[in-house]
Amino acid sequence: MLDHVLTARYGARRRRNVMAMALSIGATMFGLGWLVLILGALLWKGFSGLSLAVFTEMTPPPGSSGGLLNPLFGSLVLTVLAVLIGTPIGILAGTYMAEYGRYHRLSSVVRFINDILLSAPSIVVGLFIYEVMVAPMGHFSGYAGGVALAVLVIPVVVRTTEDMLTLVPNALREAATSIGLPRSLAITRICYRAARAGMVTGVLLAVARISGETAPLLFTSLNNQFWSTDLNQPIASLPVVIFQFALSPYKDWQALAWTGALIITLTVLALSISARALVPTGKQS
Amino acid sequence: MQTRQGQSVVDVAISDRMAMPAQSVTRVKALGRFRFSDAVFRHLTRAAAIGVLVLLGGVIISLIQGSIPALKTFGFDFLFSERWNPVTEIFGALPAIYGTLLTSFIAMLIAVPVGLMIAFFLTELCPQWLRRPIGIAIELLAGIPSIIYGIWGLFIFAPFLQATLQPFLINTLGNVPLIGSLFAGPPYGIGLLTAGLILAIMVLPFVTSISRDVFEAVPSVLKEAAYGLGCTRWEVVRNVVLPYARVGVIGGLMLGLGRALGETMAVTFVIGNAHRISASVLAPGTTISATIANEFTEAVSDLYTSALIALGLVLFVITFIVLAAARYMLLRIERRIG
């Protein structure tokens, strides 16, 4: 009798377990399904427009064909500018937190604030740069766009630099000090070298993050229909052009938007995969 | 060489300069140079660390400063008024706040159970060799820029919903009393529900990867003990892993929520940008970030600009609270592990 009840309960538990496992497999398929659907749509819609003209011609006026040369160039310039500004600041701040101030109160405060900056809405960063750069200067500019992106680079680099330097064994620092290296040289010559792969990963992840960012550029670097290398003027960037073209009623523009979207996605995926490959066992999120 | 209290080797070497033979003068000079560059480097790093704090302070101050004109004109009505009229310059943030909260709520409603189930799969079920590829694939979803979600949502996902899910919801749930009004109206394709669904896809990887990390941090002894008692896998996760990882999971969820609240481009494409509060989730609406993205460059008057910056301030305050709470919870679990 008791046996019977137990078997029945066991059966119910087993059924529930099988159901939960099936659900979890279903959920995983669901999650991966979106990746396949999105990448599939991008390839389907964007690949047909991919031609040499995309890389050699300017953005066209509505109704005619053209390429994406000026936004591609603009995105490249803005990204380089952002990395040039953001990386040194990020690495220095991360160095302070991992080396000089590891047990200092300031470090934990900076860590907390940095983590908030890391996930702060990027459009707010755009508003911030608008207030401090665009409004005082009186016009939109490539510089403002670069600085806005740099604000997004800094937290990523700070985080990875700190994490990677913390992983450097103390024995290395002690050995460096014992042969008479001053602290700054021990850090730059020994610790940076030991943590180099991880720090490069951080920069790559930061580039991956900013190369698709649109919101902070909308009202900092704005857009430019024409070829411009003047960073003091509005400059075109790929994400903003995609935004403009995708929402337009013109078929040519929409097709170019898809092609641009494909280019951005492939770039970002290549960056994040190579970033992961650099740290084979590290816990990169 | 014995180092005196509070002095570095370099200090001692320099103060002992007199006692040294002449040939070591260059050596002392080098040490002096080292000392100088050491101090410069240390202060540089410290300045950069403080710079991160200044950055956040700057964001807050500039947002407050920019929103003063709007807040002065409208006072608390800005938060509670439903009217948004650029022509007569009357601005109320309620529709945008409502849209932001509702779309994020829809996103979390879907992403949380799915994300937790994927984490369950990855930590308990999945064969070891498959874990890393699947984990990376899920994280690639997080790497896709939001504008890609936007263009995909506008051209592919929204028409798809318009043809399938939305008529289905209208014909079934739309006739149910009480919740019927939630699913009333024509199937536009774009709207609050579509935005919420796209946000769900975007938040899913965050929820998944953090849940997986905290699930993995549960001591195996606990799980093995439960298995030893004869628990099924589901029972182990339900009764041992989840309670143990609770704080971390909630922290991860709030991190995802912070993302959803501030997400701009994906939402801007599919929300419809209508400043009204509709009972139906199928209707077009707007969110704070979508409003800013759509209207900022068109804002000609100072008051209009200021109202948009005030919207940004509201968004920043909401996300700041959510993110701070999330970080606090994750810090707590980190301390328990470490």
Side-chain angles (χ1 to χ4, degrees), chain A residues 13 17 20-21 24 28 35 41 92 100 115 127-128 131 184 214 239 243 246 261 265 268 276, chain B residues 38 41-42 45 48 58 62 117 121 125 137 139 143 147-148 155-156 230 234-235 265 296 309 327:
Chain A
R13 285 175 55 204
N17 185 48
M21 294 205 298
S24 81
T28 311
L35 187 67
L92 284 174
Y100 291 110
D115 280 347
L127 287 177
F128 166 58
E131 278 288 293
S184 58
T214 320
F243 180 51
T265 311
V268 170
R276 249 168 262 276
Chain B
D38 226 23
F41 189 71
R42 195 181 72 230
T45 62
S62 73
M117 286 314 265
F121 176 78
L125 273 179
E139 279 166 21
I147 188 151
I148 308 298
F155 288 112
I156 295 180
W234 172 243
E235 283 164 346
M265 297 323 291
F296 199 83
I309 293 176
R327 286 300 171 190

mmCIF file of all heavy atoms in Angstrom, chain A residues 13 17 20-21 24 28 35 41 92 100 115 127-128 131 184 214 239 243 246 261 265 268 276, chain B residues 38 41-42 45 48 58 62 117 121 125 137 139 143 147-148 155-156 230 234-235 265 296 309 327:
data_model
loop_
_atom_site.group_PDB
_atom_site.id
_atom_site.type_symbol
_atom_site.label_atom_id
_atom_site.label_comp_id
_atom_site.label_asym_id
_atom_site.label_seq_id
_atom_site.Cartn_x
_atom_site.Cartn_y
_atom_site.Cartn_z
ATOM 1 N N ARG A 13 7.212 13.001 -9.315
ATOM 2 C CA ARG A 13 8.449 13.769 -9.224
ATOM 3 C C ARG A 13 9.254 13.615 -10.504
ATOM 4 O O ARG A 13 9.846 14.563 -11.013
ATOM 5 C CB ARG A 13 9.279 13.295 -8.039
ATOM 6 C CG ARG A 13 8.721 13.769 -6.709
ATOM 7 C CD ARG A 13 9.502 13.167 -5.574
ATOM 8 N NE ARG A 13 10.923 13.445 -5.677
ATOM 9 C CZ ARG A 13 11.863 12.690 -5.120
ATOM 10 N NH1 ARG A 13 11.533 11.632 -4.416
ATOM 11 N NH2 ARG A 13 13.124 13.007 -5.257
ATOM 12 N N ASN A 17 10.355 16.454 -13.138
ATOM 13 C CA ASN A 17 11.756 16.658 -13.496
ATOM 14 C C ASN A 17 11.943 16.650 -15.001
ATOM 15 O O ASN A 17 12.616 17.516 -15.568
ATOM 16 C CB ASN A 17 12.610 15.564 -12.848
ATOM 17 C CG ASN A 17 14.080 15.805 -13.077
ATOM 18 O OD1 ASN A 17 14.555 16.919 -12.873
ATOM 19 N ND2 ASN A 17 14.779 14.785 -13.527
ATOM 20 N N ALA A 20 10.645 19.835 -16.451
ATOM 21 C CA ALA A 20 11.542 20.966 -16.222
ATOM 22 C C ALA A 20 12.743 20.894 -17.158
ATOM 23 O O ALA A 20 13.165 21.907 -17.728
ATOM 24 C CB ALA A 20 12.008 20.989 -14.767
ATOM 25 N N MET A 21 13.273 19.685 -17.339
ATOM 26 C CA MET A 21 14.427 19.549 -18.222
ATOM 27 C C MET A 21 14.047 19.890 -19.655
ATOM 28 O O MET A 21 14.776 20.581 -20.361
ATOM 29 C CB MET A 21 14.989 18.126 -18.140
ATOM 30 C CG MET A 21 15.573 17.819 -16.766
ATOM 31 S SD MET A 21 16.827 16.547 -16.760
ATOM 32 C CE MET A 21 15.973 15.139 -17.343
ATOM 33 N N SER A 24 13.798 23.562 -19.967
ATOM 34 C CA SER A 24 15.089 24.259 -19.993
ATOM 35 C C SER A 24 15.757 24.082 -21.350
ATOM 36 O O SER A 24 16.386 25.009 -21.871
ATOM 37 C CB SER A 24 15.986 23.769 -18.869
ATOM 38 O OG SER A 24 16.607 22.570 -19.220
ATOM 39 N N THR A 28 16.625 27.122 -23.975
ATOM 40 C CA THR A 28 17.922 27.324 -24.618
ATOM 41 C C THR A 28 17.764 27.444 -26.130
ATOM 42 O O THR A 28 18.360 28.323 -26.764
ATOM 43 C CB THR A 28 18.869 26.166 -24.269
ATOM 44 O OG1 THR A 28 18.835 25.980 -22.860
ATOM 45 C CG2 THR A 28 20.282 26.472 -24.719
ATOM 46 N N LEU A 35 19.272 34.377 -31.948
ATOM 47 C CA LEU A 35 20.564 34.683 -32.547
ATOM 48 C C LEU A 35 20.564 34.275 -34.022
ATOM 49 O O LEU A 35 20.966 35.032 -34.908
ATOM 50 C CB LEU A 35 21.675 33.948 -31.786
ATOM 51 C CG LEU A 35 23.095 34.302 -32.180
ATOM 52 C CD1 LEU A 35 23.402 35.731 -31.793
ATOM 53 C CD2 LEU A 35 24.092 33.364 -31.528
ATOM 54 N N ALA A 41 18.570 37.049 -40.787
ATOM 55 C CA ALA A 41 17.918 38.187 -41.449
ATOM 56 C C ALA A 41 18.957 39.184 -41.942
ATOM 57 O O ALA A 41 18.848 39.720 -43.052
ATOM 58 C CB ALA A 41 16.951 38.859 -40.482
ATOM 59 N N LEU A 92 44.874 53.902 -16.409
ATOM 60 C CA LEU A 92 45.448 54.532 -15.218
ATOM 61 C C LEU A 92 44.531 54.335 -14.006
ATOM 62 O O LEU A 92 45.003 53.970 -12.922
ATOM 63 C CB LEU A 92 45.676 56.025 -15.465
ATOM 64 C CG LEU A 92 46.884 56.360 -16.343
ATOM 65 C CD1 LEU A 92 46.927 57.839 -16.649
ATOM 66 C CD2 LEU A 92 48.179 55.909 -15.677
ATOM 67 N N TYR A 100 47.994 50.714 -6.433
ATOM 68 C CA TYR A 100 48.263 51.631 -5.323
ATOM 69 C C TYR A 100 47.179 51.579 -4.266
ATOM 70 O O TYR A 100 47.450 51.587 -3.077
ATOM 71 C CB TYR A 100 48.401 53.061 -5.843
ATOM 72 C CG TYR A 100 49.644 53.270 -6.661
ATOM 73 C CD1 TYR A 100 49.570 53.479 -8.025
ATOM 74 C CD2 TYR A 100 50.887 53.246 -6.055
ATOM 75 C CE1 TYR A 100 50.708 53.666 -8.775
ATOM 76 C CE2 TYR A 100 52.035 53.425 -6.801
ATOM 77 C CZ TYR A 100 51.940 53.641 -8.162
ATOM 78 O OH TYR A 100 53.063 53.814 -8.902
ATOM 79 N N ASP A 115 30.975 50.638 -12.006
ATOM 80 C CA ASP A 115 30.012 49.616 -12.408
ATOM 81 C C ASP A 115 28.689 50.246 -12.816
ATOM 82 O O ASP A 115 28.010 49.743 -13.716
ATOM 83 C CB ASP A 115 29.778 48.629 -11.262
ATOM 84 C CG ASP A 115 30.903 47.610 -11.190
ATOM 85 O OD1 ASP A 115 31.683 47.551 -12.164
ATOM 86 O OD2 ASP A 115 31.003 46.889 -10.191
ATOM 87 N N LEU A 127 23.390 63.155 -23.721
ATOM 88 C CA LEU A 127 22.873 64.413 -23.166
ATOM 89 C C LEU A 127 23.962 65.154 -22.402
ATOM 90 O O LEU A 127 24.100 66.375 -22.507
ATOM 91 C CB LEU A 127 21.697 64.127 -22.223
ATOM 92 C CG LEU A 127 20.374 63.721 -22.849
ATOM 93 C CD1 LEU A 127 19.363 63.400 -21.773
ATOM 94 C CD2 LEU A 127 19.853 64.821 -23.756
ATOM 95 N N PHE A 128 24.745 64.400 -21.631
ATOM 96 C CA PHE A 128 25.829 64.986 -20.834
ATOM 97 C C PHE A 128 26.825 65.709 -21.737
ATOM 98 O O PHE A 128 27.168 66.876 -21.513
ATOM 99 C CB PHE A 128 26.494 63.852 -20.042
ATOM 100 C CG PHE A 128 27.822 64.199 -19.433
ATOM 101 C CD1 PHE A 128 27.948 65.251 -18.546
ATOM 102 C CD2 PHE A 128 28.949 63.436 -19.731
ATOM 103 C CE1 PHE A 128 29.167 65.557 -17.967
ATOM 104 C CE2 PHE A 128 30.174 63.731 -19.167
ATOM 105 C CZ PHE A 128 30.280 64.802 -18.287
ATOM 106 N N GLU A 131 25.469 68.843 -23.180
ATOM 107 C CA GLU A 131 25.480 69.944 -22.219
ATOM 108 C C GLU A 131 26.874 70.539 -22.040
ATOM 109 O O GLU A 131 27.019 71.756 -21.943
ATOM 110 C CB GLU A 131 24.973 69.446 -20.856
ATOM 111 C CG GLU A 131 23.478 69.392 -20.751
ATOM 112 C CD GLU A 131 22.880 70.777 -20.664
ATOM 113 O OE1 GLU A 131 23.113 71.446 -19.649
ATOM 114 O OE2 GLU A 131 22.192 71.183 -21.612
ATOM 115 N N SER A 184 56.625 52.375 -10.057
ATOM 116 C CA SER A 184 56.018 52.702 -11.343
ATOM 117 C C SER A 184 56.564 51.800 -12.442
ATOM 118 O O SER A 184 55.826 51.334 -13.300
ATOM 119 C CB SER A 184 56.258 54.167 -11.683
ATOM 120 O OG SER A 184 57.646 54.420 -11.704
ATOM 121 N N THR A 214 24.662 54.184 -31.031
ATOM 122 C CA THR A 214 24.009 55.208 -31.821
ATOM 123 C C THR A 214 23.565 56.370 -30.945
ATOM 124 O O THR A 214 23.794 57.531 -31.269
ATOM 125 C CB THR A 214 22.754 54.630 -32.495
ATOM 126 O OG1 THR A 214 23.058 53.322 -32.934
ATOM 127 C CG2 THR A 214 22.340 55.485 -33.653
ATOM 128 N N PRO A 239 26.267 53.949 -37.422
ATOM 129 C CA PRO A 239 24.997 53.700 -36.730
ATOM 130 C C PRO A 239 23.958 54.794 -36.977
ATOM 131 O O PRO A 239 22.778 54.486 -37.186
ATOM 132 C CB PRO A 239 25.400 53.669 -35.250
ATOM 133 C CG PRO A 239 26.831 53.364 -35.241
ATOM 134 C CD PRO A 239 27.386 53.979 -36.476
ATOM 135 N N PHE A 243 20.288 54.460 -38.735
ATOM 136 C CA PHE A 243 19.077 54.964 -38.088
ATOM 137 C C PHE A 243 18.280 55.824 -39.064
ATOM 138 O O PHE A 243 17.082 55.621 -39.276
ATOM 139 C CB PHE A 243 19.485 55.766 -36.845
ATOM 140 C CG PHE A 243 18.326 56.337 -36.072
ATOM 141 C CD1 PHE A 243 17.262 55.541 -35.695
ATOM 142 C CD2 PHE A 243 18.320 57.672 -35.707
ATOM 143 C CE1 PHE A 243 16.212 56.060 -34.969
ATOM 144 C CE2 PHE A 243 17.265 58.198 -34.985
ATOM 145 C CZ PHE A 243 16.216 57.390 -34.615
ATOM 146 N N ALA A 246 17.165 53.653 -42.297
ATOM 147 C CA ALA A 246 16.178 52.598 -42.056
ATOM 148 C C ALA A 246 14.790 53.198 -41.866
ATOM 149 O O ALA A 246 13.794 52.613 -42.276
ATOM 150 C CB ALA A 246 16.574 51.780 -40.826
ATOM 151 N N ALA A 261 24.166 47.605 -41.374
ATOM 152 C CA ALA A 261 23.902 46.806 -40.175
ATOM 153 C C ALA A 261 24.716 45.522 -40.202
ATOM 154 O O ALA A 261 25.287 45.103 -39.186
ATOM 155 C CB ALA A 261 22.414 46.486 -40.086
ATOM 156 N N THR A 265 27.551 44.485 -37.455
ATOM 157 C CA THR A 265 27.418 43.259 -36.673
ATOM 158 C C THR A 265 28.619 42.348 -36.858
ATOM 159 O O THR A 265 29.154 41.801 -35.886
ATOM 160 C CB THR A 265 26.137 42.506 -37.084
ATOM 161 O OG1 THR A 265 25.066 43.437 -37.093
ATOM 162 C CG2 THR A 265 25.838 41.392 -36.126
ATOM 163 N N VAL A 268 31.496 43.758 -34.890
ATOM 164 C CA VAL A 268 31.346 43.582 -33.444
ATOM 165 C C VAL A 268 31.550 42.120 -33.055
ATOM 166 O O VAL A 268 32.251 41.813 -32.083
ATOM 167 C CB VAL A 268 29.951 44.069 -32.996
ATOM 168 C CG1 VAL A 268 29.682 43.667 -31.568
ATOM 169 C CG2 VAL A 268 29.847 45.569 -33.143
ATOM 170 N N ARG A 276 37.545 37.158 -26.769
ATOM 171 C CA ARG A 276 37.408 35.938 -25.982
ATOM 172 C C ARG A 276 38.576 34.987 -26.225
ATOM 173 O O ARG A 276 39.044 34.320 -25.311
ATOM 174 C CB ARG A 276 36.116 35.226 -26.347
ATOM 175 C CG ARG A 276 35.106 35.257 -25.251
ATOM 176 C CD ARG A 276 33.785 34.803 -25.802
ATOM 177 N NE ARG A 276 32.976 35.956 -26.121
ATOM 178 C CZ ARG A 276 32.237 36.582 -25.219
ATOM 179 N NH1 ARG A 276 32.218 36.152 -23.989
ATOM 180 N NH2 ARG A 276 31.524 37.612 -25.534
ATOM 181 N N ASP B 38 58.092 58.075 -10.182
ATOM 182 C CA ASP B 38 57.221 57.233 -9.374
ATOM 183 C C ASP B 38 56.055 58.039 -8.822
ATOM 184 O O ASP B 38 54.893 57.634 -8.917
ATOM 185 C CB ASP B 38 58.034 56.663 -8.208
ATOM 186 C CG ASP B 38 57.778 55.187 -8.043
ATOM 187 O OD1 ASP B 38 57.362 54.560 -9.034
ATOM 188 O OD2 ASP B 38 57.993 54.673 -6.939
ATOM 189 N N PHE B 41 53.654 59.089 -11.569
ATOM 190 C CA PHE B 41 52.804 57.988 -12.024
ATOM 191 C C PHE B 41 51.708 57.693 -11.007
ATOM 192 O O PHE B 41 50.549 57.501 -11.361
ATOM 193 C CB PHE B 41 53.664 56.742 -12.257
ATOM 194 C CG PHE B 41 52.919 55.614 -12.919
ATOM 195 C CD1 PHE B 41 52.544 55.699 -14.239
ATOM 196 C CD2 PHE B 41 52.593 54.471 -12.199
ATOM 197 C CE1 PHE B 41 51.857 54.672 -14.853
ATOM 198 C CE2 PHE B 41 51.895 53.442 -12.798
ATOM 199 C CZ PHE B 41 51.532 53.537 -14.123
ATOM 200 N N ARG B 42 52.134 57.691 -9.719
ATOM 201 C CA ARG B 42 51.140 57.374 -8.693
ATOM 202 C C ARG B 42 50.008 58.405 -8.710
ATOM 203 O O ARG B 42 48.833 58.056 -8.665
ATOM 204 C CB ARG B 42 51.788 57.321 -7.316
ATOM 205 C CG ARG B 42 50.883 56.639 -6.315
ATOM 206 C CD ARG B 42 51.473 56.583 -4.932
ATOM 207 N NE ARG B 42 51.475 57.887 -4.316
ATOM 208 C CZ ARG B 42 52.538 58.437 -3.745
ATOM 209 N NH1 ARG B 42 53.687 57.784 -3.744
ATOM 210 N NH2 ARG B 42 52.460 59.631 -3.199
ATOM 211 N N THR B 45 47.648 57.988 -11.739
ATOM 212 C CA THR B 45 46.654 56.919 -11.619
ATOM 213 C C THR B 45 45.550 57.341 -10.650
ATOM 214 O O THR B 45 44.379 57.090 -10.894
ATOM 215 C CB THR B 45 47.282 55.609 -11.114
ATOM 216 O OG1 THR B 45 47.820 55.828 -9.811
ATOM 217 C CG2 THR B 45 48.363 55.114 -12.031
ATOM 218 N N ALA B 48 43.231 59.701 -12.309
ATOM 219 C CA ALA B 48 42.332 59.020 -13.242
ATOM 220 C C ALA B 48 41.200 58.335 -12.483
ATOM 221 O O ALA B 48 40.044 58.367 -12.910
ATOM 222 C CB ALA B 48 43.107 58.001 -14.079
ATOM 223 N N GLY B 58 29.741 64.758 -12.952
ATOM 224 C CA GLY B 58 29.491 65.666 -14.067
ATOM 225 C C GLY B 58 28.192 65.338 -14.774
ATOM 226 O O GLY B 58 27.422 66.236 -15.126
ATOM 227 N N SER B 62 25.320 68.118 -14.795
ATOM 228 C CA SER B 62 24.920 68.724 -16.072
ATOM 229 C C SER B 62 23.460 68.420 -16.389
ATOM 230 O O SER B 62 22.750 69.252 -16.937
ATOM 231 C CB SER B 62 25.825 68.237 -17.197
ATOM 232 O OG SER B 62 25.533 66.912 -17.513
ATOM 233 N N MET B 117 15.875 29.346 -16.870
ATOM 234 C CA MET B 117 15.842 27.980 -17.392
ATOM 235 C C MET B 117 17.102 27.688 -18.211
ATOM 236 O O MET B 117 17.635 26.584 -18.147
ATOM 237 C CB MET B 117 14.591 27.777 -18.262
ATOM 238 C CG MET B 117 13.295 27.666 -17.490
ATOM 239 S SD MET B 117 13.385 26.559 -16.081
ATOM 240 C CE MET B 117 12.784 25.047 -16.759
ATOM 241 N N PHE B 121 19.813 24.837 -17.525
ATOM 242 C CA PHE B 121 20.315 23.917 -18.543
ATOM 243 C C PHE B 121 21.840 23.915 -18.583
ATOM 244 O O PHE B 121 22.477 22.871 -18.588
ATOM 245 C CB PHE B 121 19.749 24.312 -19.913
ATOM 246 C CG PHE B 121 20.277 23.486 -21.055
ATOM 247 C CD1 PHE B 121 19.785 22.218 -21.292
ATOM 248 C CD2 PHE B 121 21.274 23.986 -21.883
ATOM 249 C CE1 PHE B 121 20.276 21.454 -22.345
ATOM 250 C CE2 PHE B 121 21.765 23.230 -22.932
ATOM 251 C CZ PHE B 121 21.264 21.961 -23.164
ATOM 252 N N LEU B 125 22.402 20.430 -16.823
ATOM 253 C CA LEU B 125 22.027 19.435 -17.827
ATOM 254 C C LEU B 125 23.040 19.275 -18.947
ATOM 255 O O LEU B 125 23.318 18.177 -19.401
ATOM 256 C CB LEU B 125 20.687 19.841 -18.469
ATOM 257 C CG LEU B 125 19.417 19.390 -17.779
ATOM 258 C CD1 LEU B 125 18.230 19.911 -18.555
ATOM 259 C CD2 LEU B 125 19.379 17.885 -17.716
ATOM 260 N N ALA B 137 27.466 31.680 -27.411
ATOM 261 C CA ALA B 137 26.419 32.067 -28.367
ATOM 262 C C ALA B 137 25.395 32.967 -27.693
ATOM 263 O O ALA B 137 24.970 33.972 -28.264
ATOM 264 C CB ALA B 137 25.745 30.816 -28.931
ATOM 265 N N GLU B 139 25.953 34.852 -25.178
ATOM 266 C CA GLU B 139 26.565 36.148 -24.895
ATOM 267 C C GLU B 139 26.752 36.980 -26.162
ATOM 268 O O GLU B 139 26.792 38.208 -26.100
ATOM 269 C CB GLU B 139 27.903 35.956 -24.176
ATOM 270 C CG GLU B 139 27.673 35.716 -22.689
ATOM 271 C CD GLU B 139 28.895 35.194 -21.979
ATOM 272 O OE1 GLU B 139 30.002 35.379 -22.516
ATOM 273 O OE2 GLU B 139 28.751 34.606 -20.900
ATOM 274 N N GLY B 143 26.148 40.997 -27.434
ATOM 275 C CA GLY B 143 27.105 41.831 -28.144
ATOM 276 C C GLY B 143 26.515 42.525 -29.363
ATOM 277 O O GLY B 143 27.071 43.507 -29.837
ATOM 278 N N ILE B 147 21.103 48.933 -32.314
ATOM 279 C CA ILE B 147 20.492 49.425 -33.538
ATOM 280 C C ILE B 147 20.132 48.267 -34.469
ATOM 281 O O ILE B 147 19.183 48.337 -35.256
ATOM 282 C CB ILE B 147 21.401 50.442 -34.250
ATOM 283 C CG1 ILE B 147 20.664 51.083 -35.408
ATOM 284 C CG2 ILE B 147 22.675 49.813 -34.727
ATOM 285 C CD1 ILE B 147 21.092 52.455 -35.728
ATOM 286 N N ILE B 148 20.877 47.167 -34.348
ATOM 287 C CA ILE B 148 20.576 45.991 -35.165
ATOM 288 C C ILE B 148 19.236 45.400 -34.733
ATOM 289 O O ILE B 148 18.403 45.027 -35.560
ATOM 290 C CB ILE B 148 21.684 44.936 -35.020
ATOM 291 C CG1 ILE B 148 23.057 45.559 -35.276
ATOM 292 C CG2 ILE B 148 21.439 43.747 -35.928
ATOM 293 C CD1 ILE B 148 23.232 46.119 -36.638
ATOM 294 N N PHE B 155 11.645 45.895 -39.467
ATOM 295 C CA PHE B 155 11.360 45.329 -40.787
ATOM 296 C C PHE B 155 10.913 43.879 -40.754
ATOM 297 O O PHE B 155 10.285 43.400 -41.683
ATOM 298 C CB PHE B 155 12.584 45.446 -41.698
ATOM 299 C CG PHE B 155 12.836 46.852 -42.146
ATOM 300 C CD1 PHE B 155 13.952 47.540 -41.715
ATOM 301 C CD2 PHE B 155 11.941 47.494 -42.986
ATOM 302 C CE1 PHE B 155 14.176 48.838 -42.121
ATOM 303 C CE2 PHE B 155 12.158 48.793 -43.395
ATOM 304 C CZ PHE B 155 13.278 49.467 -42.957
ATOM 305 N N ILE B 156 11.282 43.139 -39.727
ATOM 306 C CA ILE B 156 10.989 41.710 -39.736
ATOM 307 C C ILE B 156 10.087 41.298 -38.590
ATOM 308 O O ILE B 156 9.049 40.673 -38.790
ATOM 309 C CB ILE B 156 12.307 40.909 -39.718
ATOM 310 C CG1 ILE B 156 13.033 41.192 -41.034
ATOM 311 C CG2 ILE B 156 12.043 39.420 -39.554
ATOM 312 C CD1 ILE B 156 14.318 40.509 -41.200
ATOM 313 N N GLY B 230 18.464 11.798 -2.935
ATOM 314 C CA GLY B 230 17.550 11.287 -3.949
ATOM 315 C C GLY B 230 16.762 12.358 -4.659
ATOM 316 O O GLY B 230 15.749 12.062 -5.286
ATOM 317 N N TRP B 234 15.733 18.811 -11.068
ATOM 318 C CA TRP B 234 14.858 19.972 -10.914
ATOM 319 C C TRP B 234 14.720 20.334 -9.438
ATOM 320 O O TRP B 234 14.760 21.498 -9.058
ATOM 321 C CB TRP B 234 13.499 19.678 -11.539
ATOM 322 C CG TRP B 234 12.481 20.733 -11.261
ATOM 323 C CD1 TRP B 234 11.327 20.577 -10.572
ATOM 324 C CD2 TRP B 234 12.534 22.110 -11.650
ATOM 325 N NE1 TRP B 234 10.652 21.760 -10.497
ATOM 326 C CE2 TRP B 234 11.371 22.729 -11.152
ATOM 327 C CE3 TRP B 234 13.462 22.877 -12.352
ATOM 328 C CZ2 TRP B 234 11.094 24.066 -11.334
ATOM 329 C CZ3 TRP B 234 13.187 24.222 -12.545
ATOM 330 C CH2 TRP B 234 12.026 24.807 -12.040
ATOM 331 N N GLU B 235 14.577 19.303 -8.591
ATOM 332 C CA GLU B 235 14.420 19.563 -7.166
ATOM 333 C C GLU B 235 15.683 20.180 -6.581
ATOM 334 O O GLU B 235 15.615 21.046 -5.708
ATOM 335 C CB GLU B 235 14.048 18.285 -6.426
ATOM 336 C CG GLU B 235 12.585 17.915 -6.615
ATOM 337 C CD GLU B 235 12.278 16.484 -6.224
ATOM 338 O OE1 GLU B 235 13.230 15.686 -6.061
ATOM 339 O OE2 GLU B 235 11.095 16.150 -6.096
ATOM 340 N N MET B 265 17.921 52.605 -28.887
ATOM 341 C CA MET B 265 17.698 52.483 -30.323
ATOM 342 C C MET B 265 16.698 51.386 -30.677
ATOM 343 O O MET B 265 15.812 51.596 -31.493
ATOM 344 C CB MET B 265 19.016 52.230 -31.045
ATOM 345 C CG MET B 265 20.006 53.354 -30.929
ATOM 346 S SD MET B 265 19.290 54.989 -30.950
ATOM 347 C CE MET B 265 18.736 55.085 -32.646
ATOM 348 N N PHE B 296 15.175 65.178 -29.825
ATOM 349 C CA PHE B 296 16.164 66.126 -29.319
ATOM 350 C C PHE B 296 16.682 67.069 -30.399
ATOM 351 O O PHE B 296 16.787 68.268 -30.190
ATOM 352 C CB PHE B 296 17.339 65.388 -28.673
ATOM 353 C CG PHE B 296 18.135 66.256 -27.763
ATOM 354 C CD1 PHE B 296 17.736 66.460 -26.459
ATOM 355 C CD2 PHE B 296 19.283 66.886 -28.212
ATOM 356 C CE1 PHE B 296 18.462 67.270 -25.610
ATOM 357 C CE2 PHE B 296 20.009 67.709 -27.372
ATOM 358 C CZ PHE B 296 19.599 67.896 -26.069
ATOM 359 N N ILE B 309 15.950 67.124 -21.534
ATOM 360 C CA ILE B 309 17.040 66.819 -20.611
ATOM 361 C C ILE B 309 16.477 66.391 -19.258
ATOM 362 O O ILE B 309 16.998 65.473 -18.609
ATOM 363 C CB ILE B 309 17.984 68.031 -20.472
ATOM 364 C CG1 ILE B 309 18.704 68.260 -21.805
ATOM 365 C CG2 ILE B 309 19.012 67.795 -19.378
ATOM 366 C CD1 ILE B 309 19.578 69.474 -21.829
ATOM 367 N N ARG B 327 24.070 46.285 -7.911
ATOM 368 C CA ARG B 327 25.478 46.149 -7.550
ATOM 369 C C ARG B 327 25.636 45.796 -6.089
ATOM 370 O O ARG B 327 26.498 45.014 -5.703
ATOM 371 C CB ARG B 327 26.219 47.455 -7.857
ATOM 372 C CG ARG B 327 26.455 47.676 -9.329
ATOM 373 C CD ARG B 327 27.279 46.571 -9.915
ATOM 374 N NE ARG B 327 27.311 46.683 -11.367
ATOM 375 C CZ ARG B 327 27.788 45.748 -12.170
ATOM 376 N NH1 ARG B 327 28.255 44.624 -11.665
ATOM 377 N NH2 ARG B 327 27.779 45.915 -13.466
#
